[in-house]
Amino acid sequence: MSTTSATKPPLTVLLCAPRGFCAGVDRAIQIVELALEKYGPPVYVRHEIVHNKFVVESLRAKGAVFVEELHEIDQPDRPVIFSAHGVPKSVPEDARARNMFFLDATCPLVSKVHKEAQIHHKRERDIVLIGHAGHPEVIGTMGQLPPGTVTLIETVEDARAYEPKDPANLAWITQTTLSVDDTRDIIEVLRARFPSIASPHKEDICYATTNRQEAVKAVAPSADAMIVVGAPNSSNSQRLREVAERSGCATAVLLQRAHDIDWADFDGISTLAITAGASAPEVLVEEIIDAFATRFDVSVESVRTADETVSFNLPRQLRPDAAE
């Protein structure tokens, strides 16, 4: 027997805003779509363009071919796109050596961190990168400079143990998708130990990461549970789940799709908060709300904590006025 609205328990969904796509992700996806339109398939993409399986599969269906390394490309005359996370300097050098035509979809805010690292290196500073080992953005940032130039610090304990060659000539930079609070704690330790350490002119953690975390902090204490829509390998999505837990939400889960919902996690709830990582499309948020609407009498309230108006230019070759 089907459940009627009269027998469904009420559920208030607090929808965090901002959520979902940031300007860097939006730009990266546009670059792949426009390249497919302009040059036709296949267009190769090195690494997942953004960390979201739904997005990757959608682009694959349009003719994008995803590879981990350039040597996997069996049609080297076709365009290749570098992902939003950024790449080590060796990757474009390799592409040039292979006479490949490439488009760089690196988020401009990640490129900003790359430039900072290069400036510090020119000033002969020891460089500390706060980030997560193995993340493509960290690999790309450390790969802007010779091996051993940048020291990765992941935790407060790492910051306490760090011993630079020259304590008076230091600088720190960060991955753009970190927990604002965790990063602040690490920076406090570094500044206490090394008062002259140079910092970025403008915060490295990107506006979208910060805004999404602040929205979660605003709603988490009022929610019985929170869903973060995003991929398990998405750093900014994982940080949103952690922020929700720390902000007092008893149940905080990261889900990719509605079919991943474990309904036992949501027994007896009356308020559910939902947000989405910066690489998760809105259609997946709607899918999850629809799934809850089959079991609950859902009312949706948007909770907005910031407005975002940031946009980034496309590569020159893909702009409408670009010469053929």
Side-chain angles (χ1 to χ4, degrees), residues 22 27 31 49-51 79 94 116 128 143 147 165 172 185 199 210 223 234-235 237-238 246 267 278 290 312:
C22 62
R27 174 181 180 269
I31 288 171
I49 188 69
V50 297
H51 282 157
D94 186 19
E116 287 170 356
V128 166
K165 293 191 291 289
W172 61 266
D185 293 344
S199 59
T210 302
S234 163
S235 174
S237 299
Q238 288 286 9
R246 291 179 191 170
D267 278 348
D290 289 345
F312 297 127

Side-chain angles (χ1 to χ4, degrees), residues 220-239:
S222 308
D224 300 318
M226 174 168 280
I227 291 173
V228 178
V229 184
N233 60 339
S234 163
S235 174
N236 77 87
S237 299
Q238 288 286 9
R239 304 296 80 77

Side-chain angles (χ1 to χ4, degrees), residues 128-132 151-156 158-159 162 186 190:
V128 166
L129 170 62
I130 303 168
H132 297 295
T151 301
L152 181 65
I153 286 185
E154 297 189 81
T155 64
V156 165
D158 290 346
Y162 173 59
I186 292 169
L190 291 172

Side-chain angles (χ1 to χ4, degrees), residues 12 17 21 41 54 61 78 94 97 125 137 149 195 229 239 253 255 299:
T12 301
F21 280 1
F54 180 88
R78 300 299 303 161
D94 186 19
R125 290 172 174 150
E137 184 183 328
T149 305
V229 184
R239 304 296 80 77
V253 295
L255 299 177
S299 61

Side-chain angles (χ1 to χ4, degrees), residues 228-282:
V228 178
V229 184
N233 60 339
S234 163
S235 174
N236 77 87
S237 299
Q238 288 286 9
R239 304 296 80 77
L240 290 173
R241 183 188 57 76
E242 293 168 1
V243 168
E245 287 178 345
R246 291 179 191 170
S247 300
C249 192
T251 300
V253 295
L254 178 66
L255 299 177
Q256 296 194 77
R257 301 291 300 269
H259 58 62
D260 299 321
I261 297 170
D262 181 349
W263 292 105
D265 289 337
F266 304 100
D267 278 348
I269 66 168
S270 60
T271 307
L272 172 68
I274 299 179
T275 189
S279 49
E282 185 66 10

